[in-house]
Amino acid sequence: MTDQLSLSTAAARNLAETTKSVPQMREITPRHLLRVLPWVEAVGGVYRVNRRLSYQVGDGRVSFTQTGAAVRVIPGELTELPALRGFDGADALAALSGLFTQREFQPGEAIVEAGAPRNEVVLIAHGKVSKIAPGAYDAEADLGRLADGDHLGDEVLTGEEGTWEFTLRAITGCTVLVLGAGALRDLLTRSPELRAHLEARASGSHPAQNKYGEAAIALAAGHVGEAVLPGTFVDYELKPREYELSVAQTILRVHTRVADLYNEPMNQIEQQLRLTIEALRERQEDELVNNRDFGLLHNADLKQRIHTRTGPPTPDDLDELLSRRRKTHCFLAHPKAIAAFARQCNARGVYPQTTVVPGGTVIAWRGLPVLPCNKIPISEQGLTSIMAMRLGTEDQGVIGLRRTGLPDECEPGLSVRFDGINDQAVMSYLLTTYHSAAVLVPDALGLLESVEIT
């Protein structure tokens, strides 16, 4: 071994200064939802959405239980059927749920045929089906997709006779529960309570309403002379929904010795606060998407939820999602769903445009940005959702709710309050942000569901 002729680099580093980065964090995302949402001040912590009076038509989805291969409808969930809405006879509902029989269908098989007598209530427990009707010129007309929880043939419950106006064909393997009119009649002879409810529903008069389910406004048009004009008024909801601001909080603790002795060249408190605020904003966006009370995924109207035609998201699916509302401003999707959409475009030889938004360049479809959001969940089966939104109060869209002007506010709607020093010489800072989201009218938010990314 030769003698060392000069100072080694390892020893020299003890006398040299190092160049350091600020603390890095993998959790930080672009948070496009927080950027695009128009934020409205919720004074008093509550925002009330006043709407015209709407009549509930009972178009909810039904839930099921499964034991092995046997599937059964939950009795209480049958009240999601329009004819049973408001019925609270637990024994009758339990007996009714036991009358449904389970059927299995393979892809391509017809569940009901157009023109056949409509004598069954059909509940789709699992799988995806297409509604197909005869077209005007002998071609088939595609009426959309149905999937888990959807139902048809509710008219059978009220004794309304007729024929199926469409064919229901399985796209995937399907599990369907069916209630025949004969079994229903036998139950009605044993359940006067249920029979009375269904007879009242069959004979009851429905209030005048428009195609959106809102109380109608009487108008006259096209008349001549001195016609008697109708009198009218605009009725409002008596109990409009109120959105209370939700809170996200944490307490940051920093020892005074760290703040005093290790504050060069970077301020330890500033760096701790910066990273904690980033995590708080990430949680805020997650709540706006997934919170079961005000989260966007749980507040999309059922009539604004559609299913993909085949599985992966195609240009046709996004076009159908666009057609459900006026003046859509943007899409929001998981990055993996965006990649699946790009693959479908590549397979068709379609090349989406790109657009520049705050935070980077993203894919655009029909001129609208498709914003990535990794807060949208992906199920174990590889299914996710894509959102389409109209934004702002002027367009009766989706808005974010917050409260600014808080004490010790460091960012709009986010405060950092010094909370004292304890007996262990540890300083505490309380970080707080208040937030929520509101959908002003149902068609402001739409969902493309059952999006396959694999």
Side-chain angles (χ1 to χ4, degrees), residues 191-427:
S191 177
E193 182 185 15
L194 178 60
R195 182 174 67 252
H197 175 85
L198 293 178
E199 288 176 351
R201 296 289 293 188
S203 61
S205 59
H206 300 284
Q209 53 189 277
N210 61 20
K211 64 179 181 179
Y212 303 105
E214 297 172 327
I217 299 175
L219 301 171
H223 53 275
V224 296
E226 299 178 353
V228 178
L229 300 181
T232 189
F233 66 98
V234 181
D235 207 353
Y236 302 138
E237 289 184 348
L238 294 179
K239 296 181 179 180
R241 178 171 179 179
E242 292 184 346
Y243 293 85
E244 293 188 8
L245 291 184
S246 181
V247 63
Q249 289 179 308
T250 189
I251 296 177
L252 173 65
R253 296 186 173 95
V254 181
H255 201 286
T256 53
R257 181 169 53 197
V258 172
D260 293 340
L261 302 181
Y262 304 98
N263 231 24
E264 296 291 342
M266 298 176 194
N267 188 300
Q268 291 282 359
I269 296 178
E270 286 183 1
Q271 295 304 318
Q272 288 282 302
L273 286 173
R274 180 179 66 85
L275 295 181
T276 306
I277 289 172
E278 293 284 359
L280 203 59
R281 291 301 194 193
E282 293 290 334
R283 181 58 180 270
Q284 181 183 12
E285 185 177 58
D286 184 86
E287 288 286 298
L288 291 174
V289 173
N290 296 300
N291 187 282
R292 297 195 66 84
D293 180 33
F294 59 84
L296 298 181
L297 284 180
H298 298 283
N299 280 271
D301 189 83
L302 287 171
K303 290 185 178 179
Q304 298 297 324
R305 297 170 183 257
I306 62 174
H307 298 276
T308 56
R309 291 170 175 263
T310 55
T314 65
D316 296 332
D317 294 324
L318 264 63
D319 284 342
E320 186 173 353
L321 189 60
L322 273 178
S323 70
R324 295 298 180 104
R325 74 201 37 77
R326 58 181 173 83
K327 204 174 181 179
T328 303
H329 286 95
C330 64
F331 296 99
L332 205 68
H334 194 283
K336 291 185 177 181
I338 297 176
F341 173 69
R343 288 194 295 271
Q344 294 300 310
C345 291
N346 293 340
R348 297 185 178 204
V350 176
Y351 302 99
Q353 300 174 338
T354 59
T355 186
V356 177
V357 298
T361 301
V362 298
I363 286 179
W365 182 249
R366 304 299 187 194
L368 304 176
V370 185
L371 303 176
C373 178
N374 68 343
K375 312 303 188 302
I376 299 177
I378 297 176
S379 70
E380 295 180 356
Q381 294 77 28
L383 301 179
T384 184
S385 300
I386 295 177
M387 287 191 281
M389 295 187 294
R390 183 175 67 247
L391 302 171
T393 55
E394 295 81 4
D395 293 319
Q396 302 182 103
V398 180
I399 59 173
L401 305 175
R402 68 181 179 187
R403 186 72 173 96
T404 59
L406 302 171
D408 303 313
E409 190 173 61
C410 67
E411 293 181 4
L414 191 150
S415 67
V416 179
R417 299 182 188 179
F418 178 64
D419 200 27
I421 304 175
N422 66 12
D423 294 341
Q424 287 79 37
V426 176
M427 297 183 293

